[in-house]
Amino acid sequence: MCGICCVVSLSPQSLVLADRVQKNLINRGPDNSQDVTRTVINTDFKCLFSAHVLQMRGCLTPQPLQDSAGNLLLWNGEVFGGLEVGPEENDTVVLLEHLSAQEDATGICSVLSRVRGPWAFVYYQVAEHCIWFGRDYFGRRSLLWHLDPEDVILTLTSVASCLLICDQSQWHEVPAAGVYRLDLKDCASHRKKLTIEVFPWVTTDDHPTAHTPDYTWEDLPTYATIVPNLCGVFLQSPVCPMNMSMSAPERPLGNVQSPKLSLEDLEELLKQSENVEKVTKLIEVLSEAVRRRVQSLPSRRLFVEQSGLNNEADIAILFSGGIDSMILAVLADRHVSAGKPIDLLNVAFKLQETKMQTQSAKKDRMPKKDQTDEHPKQRDHNLTRCFDVPDRITGRAGLIELQHLSPERQWNFVEINITPDELKRMRQERISHLVHPLDTVLDDSIGCAVWFAARGIGMSMDCAEQKPHTSTAKVVLTGIGADEQLAGYSRHRVRFKSDGMEGLVKELAMELGRISSRNLGRDDRVIGDHGKEGRFPYLDEDVVSFLNQLPVWEKADLTLPRGLGEKLLLRLAAKKLGLGPAAILPKRAMQFGSRIAKMENGREKASDKCKRLVTE
């Protein structure tokens, strides 16, 4: 993973990155930093390419990477398939070789269409004097753009800063609707004009002339325009189209009638032959997705060989004990070396004193003598009770299940406890810049919770004693994508209740279509700030294609009770994998499970603009 930045300027000003942006980029890539400046021949354009590398595969490969012809590549991504990358090879080198061999837009789009995995990139094609840039189909890696309102300056960067300019609205995420090309020769011939061409993603059912993706850029200055490419070239979607069938079978799935849930309900559904094949296939594709993301970490292997240390985790999981993270843990256990620990990162925000007083009313009625004689360990336990949020409770229960399923594995359950003072301080110092340009109450809650969780600093049990623990894992698995594809959110039940199957199908199609702008860029910026890489197995191309092929009613049945009907197919997979109570836990959003949402104004709506994200 990397922090990448490109500045294209027709201004006489020197190309200098703001200190805050530079620091944020270095945090993402602490292993190597390098800047390269180019002046485009026969034009007034100057280009700054800045890259900051986190070594993940093969030998350390500084960026910007340049070939013998002078082509430059900034690559923030992982090639998990589509292009052949050897165990000890660096995917940036492999990709540049493929891109350099292409002479036209068709060839470049063909290469990018083949890549399986998350990516954002900037590529300077020297022979054509073109800048190519963009994000993968789901937008799993962040890329922001900014066009100066006065001077002709385009900036592309993995992460920005909300202090860089006065008008914060001028930073935006590059739409994950395709890739983009800026022809510098053409721009020079039309002085003071930038024309950016879009090469859209299309599916096999689309005709390129009829495909009109939403590639609109907001707040464009008068000197810039975004247009469809004139050569009719497009990228081939890496996933199949979503099954939009709406005629669900009349018969219910199974014999579940009672609103009370039990594991026997899942067992009954698993007996049905029509479910067995789908559950087996889901486990197969999801297991392979996890394998791709937890193996091939040669840089860590070299560290182990040189230091002799093998007792620190390479892999961490954002862990609530819910079904999404539990399944990731079970599947990671299959593919992580037996002697390696796995870190389970569980974040909790301190409950307010008024809430604690209510919860401990019975304790307050204890006789004074009993309180005086309270054992020191009991007092320590009481001090930590303010962090016993719902996700902490389900996380501990999930740990017990995992220890039962895989007793030989060292599971580091890392309790990450955050006080209001620390939350306020780190939000102002770092998190607000990372969440930017997103700015809602929901972005604040999720961004803060993920940032503290991914940091991995907390306490874990060691020989029946809690000790400080800092996760060393460079790879952090998250469960994002499961709810969006399998109707896991409460709003899906609301839509189903009001508009039936047709409404639910449309809602899920919208969810997957907007995940790049709603979630993934923000999460990538937040996790990457710790020099770690977020990976999303539920958004693996093969996983999404498999789920897209199924009609919605085979993935979820919202006529069944909460804790069973939503994400039904995933719950069946959990049961088949040996999970118990976690398989029927109802969905609880991270902002509520960690209790960060309870620390602020309870009257706020998730979609409201968040004043706390405005730095002082």
Side-chain angles (χ1 to χ4, degrees):
M1 190 196 73
C2 302
I4 62 175
C5 182
C6 172
V7 184
V8 180
S9 175
L10 193 59
S11 168
Q13 300 176 7
S14 58
L15 299 178
V16 179
L17 292 177
D19 290 342
R20 179 75 245 184
V21 174
Q22 187 82 359
K23 184 177 187 305
N24 289 342
L25 290 168
I26 292 172
N27 287 344
R28 292 178 61 87
D31 295 332
N32 182 270
S33 295
Q34 182 172 266
D35 292 346
V36 172
T37 303
R38 288 285 186 88
T39 300
V40 181
I41 299 175
N42 299 324
T43 76
D44 295 326
F45 278 102
K46 293 174 290 185
C47 302
L48 169 65
F49 301 91
S50 181
H52 309 268
V53 177
L54 175 69
Q55 183 187 5
M56 298 297 290
R57 302 173 72 170
C59 297
L60 177 62
T61 303
Q63 294 189 39
L65 186 62
Q66 180 174 324
D67 66 12
S68 58
N71 298 305
L72 287 173
L73 177 63
L74 301 175
W75 175 250
N76 175 29
E78 295 288 345
V79 178
F80 291 131
L83 302 179
E84 186 174 347
V85 180
E88 302 301 328
E89 285 188 294
N90 182 274
D91 57 352
T92 310
V93 175
V94 172
L95 181 64
L96 181 57
E97 290 174 353
H98 281 276
L99 292 175
S100 298
Q102 311 308 315
E103 298 181 354
D104 56 19
T106 300
I108 288 177
C109 289
S110 175
V111 170
L112 294 171
S113 295
R114 290 162 55 192
V115 176
R116 298 294 179 264
W119 50 266
F121 83 111
V122 177
Y123 174 58
Y124 177 49
Q125 189 182 17
V126 65
E128 300 297 324
H129 300 295
C130 288
I131 302 284
W132 290 82
F133 60 95
R135 305 162 68 192
D136 72 78
Y137 185 79
F138 297 114
R140 289 166 289 186
R141 290 289 175 260
S142 171
L143 190 64
L144 307 178
W145 65 267
H146 170 249
L147 285 161
D148 191 279
E150 298 177 359
D151 295 314
V152 183
I153 302 175
L154 167 66
T155 302
L156 302 163
T157 180
S158 299
V159 61
S161 164
C162 52
L163 294 179
L164 182 59
I165 53 177
C166 296
D167 183 1
Q168 296 187 17
S169 67
Q170 294 182 54
W171 275 109
H172 299 280
E173 293 185 329
V174 172
V179 297
Y180 303 84
R181 180 175 69 177
L182 176 63
D183 187 330
L184 299 180
K185 297 195 309 297
D186 180 70
C187 294
S189 64
H190 300 85
R191 189 172 178 82
K192 295 292 183 180
K193 293 290 183 181
L194 293 183
T195 300
I196 300 172
E197 296 178 278
V198 60
F199 296 77
W201 293 103
V202 300
T203 65
T204 53
D205 294 334
D206 289 317
H207 191 280
T209 59
H211 191 74
T212 54
D214 181 12
Y215 55 81
T216 305
W217 289 28
E218 304 173 66
D219 299 335
L220 289 177
T222 56
Y223 64 78
T225 56
I226 311 294
V227 299
N229 73 89
L230 299 178
C231 49
V233 176
F234 56 91
L235 293 94
Q236 186 64 55
S237 166
V239 299
C240 71
M242 180 178 168
N243 188 326
M244 302 295 286
S245 300
M246 299 177 188
S247 301
E250 295 183 3
R251 61 181 180 82
L253 289 179
N255 300 313
V256 180
Q257 303 295 334
S258 171
K260 288 189 175 182
L261 300 180
S262 68
L263 291 173
E264 287 72 22
D265 296 329
L266 285 177
E267 291 175 356
E268 186 67 26
L269 290 167
L270 268 177
K271 292 177 182 178
Q272 299 179 17
S273 58
E274 62 266 31
N275 289 330
V276 173
E277 182 179 353
K278 293 189 290 289
V279 170
T280 302
K281 181 62 176 178
L282 175 59
I283 293 174
E284 176 186 319
V285 295
L286 193 52
S287 179
E288 175 60 16
V290 171
R291 186 196 67 78
R292 292 173 183 145
R293 286 157 177 80
V294 302
Q295 295 183 354
S296 300
L297 297 171
S299 59
R300 184 64 184 167
R301 290 204 302 271
L302 289 174
F303 169 78
V304 170
E305 291 171 2
Q306 294 168 2
S307 66
L309 298 175
N310 194 41
N311 60 347
E312 294 183 331
D314 298 337
I315 304 298
I317 302 171
L318 298 189
F319 188 78
S320 67
I323 183 173
D324 305 341
S325 58
M326 286 290 287
I327 285 181
L328 293 182
V330 172
L331 296 179
D333 181 57
R334 290 183 172 186
H335 303 296
V336 173
S337 299
K340 297 291 294 182
I342 295 176
D343 286 346
L344 307 174
L345 308 179
N346 183 275
V347 66
F349 293 84
K350 188 175 182 180
L351 294 174
Q352 297 175 17
E353 292 300 324
T354 55
K355 299 182 185 299
M356 285 300 300
Q357 290 169 5
T358 301
Q359 294 178 6
S360 60
K362 185 179 294 186
K363 177 69 176 178
D364 292 340
R365 292 195 295 269
M366 286 176 58
K368 291 185 179 180
K369 182 178 184 303
D370 292 341
Q371 293 184 37
T372 303
D373 295 341
E374 191 175 34
H375 193 277
K377 287 189 175 181
Q378 181 62 39
R379 286 198 299 271
D380 291 341
H381 171 72
N382 291 338
L383 290 174
T384 63
R385 286 181 61 238
C386 57
F387 294 104
D388 282 350
V389 302
D391 278 0
R392 179 61 48 79
I393 295 168
T394 55
R396 288 170 179 159
L399 172 65
I400 293 172
E401 284 197 56
L402 293 175
Q403 290 171 333
H404 176 74
L405 284 174
S406 184
E408 300 302 318
R409 172 76 62 189
Q410 180 181 332
W411 301 98
N412 295 327
F413 183 71
V414 187
E415 298 188 3
I416 300 163
N417 298 330
I418 308 301
T419 64
D421 288 343
E422 185 175 17
L423 171 62
K424 181 178 180 180
R425 184 177 72 256
M426 299 314 299
R427 177 194 280 124
Q428 289 293 313
E429 290 180 9
R430 296 175 71 169
I431 301 171
S432 59
H433 300 281
L434 306 169
V435 172
H436 184 76
L438 303 187
D439 59 2
T440 68
V441 170
L442 181 64
D443 293 317
D444 174 53
S445 295
I446 299 296
C448 290
V450 172
W451 189 87
F452 281 109
R455 187 177 65 168
I457 298 177
M459 306 289 290
S460 68
M461 294 298 294
D462 183 13
C463 299
E465 181 182 357
Q466 274 213 329
K467 293 184 178 180
H469 184 104
T470 298
S471 177
T472 58
K474 283 187 176 182
V475 171
V476 180
L477 302 182
T478 89
I480 192 168
D483 292 301
E484 288 81 358
Q485 297 180 80
L486 293 149
Y489 293 119
S490 58
R491 60 178 175 267
H492 295 140
R493 282 191 177 272
V494 173
R495 185 68 186 271
F496 178 71
K497 186 176 181 179
S498 63
D499 299 320
M501 185 60 69
E502 179 178 356
L504 179 60
V505 170
K506 292 179 178 179
E507 186 79 12
L508 292 178
M510 179 190 69
E511 292 276 7
L512 204 55
R514 71 181 183 180
I515 197 170
S516 64
S517 59
R518 190 177 176 92
N519 303 95
L520 293 173
R522 176 200 65 212
D523 289 358
D524 176 62
R525 294 190 294 276
V526 167
I527 295 172
D529 190 56
H530 302 294
K532 301 180 181 183
E533 184 170 280
R535 295 184 176 178
F536 318 112
Y538 290 104
L539 291 171
D540 179 88
E541 289 84 353
D542 290 343
V543 173
V544 175
S545 285
F546 168 68
L547 291 175
N548 273 359
Q549 292 172 17
L550 301 177
V552 169
W553 60 84
E554 292 186 359
K555 297 181 281 190
D557 182 355
L558 300 188
T559 65
L560 298 178
R562 185 169 177 265
L564 181 62
E566 74 277 13
K567 298 191 286 193
L568 175 61
L569 186 61
L570 197 63
R571 296 182 187 282
L572 294 172
K575 180 60 181 172
K576 188 174 179 64
L577 287 168
L579 290 174
I584 54 174
L585 274 179
K587 166 68 182 180
R588 185 187 295 113
M590 188 179 194
Q591 65 270 30
F592 301 118
S594 67
R595 283 297 187 259
I596 187 173
K598 296 293 185 181
M599 298 185 74
E600 310 296 347
N601 182 0
R603 297 181 179 178
E604 292 177 324
K605 295 181 180 178
S607 58
D608 288 346
K609 299 291 184 182
C610 184
K611 296 179 181 179
R612 294 181 296 278
L613 289 174
V614 179
T615 56
E616 299 173 350

